[in-house]
Amino acid sequence: QVQLVESGGGLVQAGDSLRLSCAASGRTFSRYAMAWFRQAPGKEREFVAQIWWNSGNTRYADSVRGRFTISKDNAKNTVYLQMNSLKPEDTAVYYCNARKPIWGGLDEYWGQGTQVTVSS
């Protein structure tokens, strides 16, 4: 059974930092791209950052580039999102995602989400 379990969310002030973790289990994720998405109240879920498990290549949304860093620990099968210089507009539920292209679509999994609240 595949599981993505997020942790590390919380309530912080603007300018503070948080590190989110996503512990992955249930299969080998070496061919997957791991990503963080977020969803603020009343808004659609949006992409934040992605890392390819094999290559370590990363990409970021413009809104977080330079402030957030995605990384991985192969030994722990865990992906991290280091969030610095947090802003109130970063407030959202953050979701971990694993996806791999397969014939005709995607093999995709989501975590349950972790709340990040940034006060001004």
Side-chain angles (χ1 to χ4, degrees):
Q1 179 183 359
V2 174
Q3 280 193 312
L4 302 177
V5 179
E6 301 101 332
S7 61
L11 171 63
V12 297
Q13 292 187 333
D16 286 351
S17 298
L18 273 178
R19 188 178 79 158
L20 305 182
S21 300
C22 171
S25 63
R27 69 164 56 235
T28 301
F29 289 94
S30 59
R31 295 183 182 273
Y32 284 74
M34 306 296 295
W36 290 94
F37 287 74
R38 66 187 182 186
Q39 187 166 19
K43 295 187 177 182
E44 293 186 354
R45 191 171 297 189
E46 65 174 4
F47 167 79
V48 176
Q50 187 174 48
I51 187 167
W52 275 261
W53 205 276
N54 267 353
S55 68
N57 290 339
T58 59
R59 67 183 184 103
Y60 296 90
D62 289 342
S63 58
V64 307
R65 188 176 292 111
R67 299 187 299 122
F68 291 10
T69 303
I70 189 170
S71 62
K72 60 183 176 70
D73 185 326
N74 290 348
K76 295 182 178 180
N77 234 28
T78 299
V79 176
Y80 303 98
L81 185 68
Q82 177 67 42
M83 305 185 294
N84 299 330
S85 303
L86 282 161
K87 305 175 181 180
E89 51 263 44
D90 294 319
T91 295
V93 177
Y94 283 71
Y95 296 92
C96 182
N97 171 270
R99 61 177 55 180
K100 180 185 73 172
I102 58 174
W103 185 257
L106 283 176
D107 187 26
E108 185 172 36
Y109 304 93
W110 291 93
Q112 82 288 350
T114 185
Q115 176 71 47
V116 172
T117 303
V118 184
S119 64
S120 57

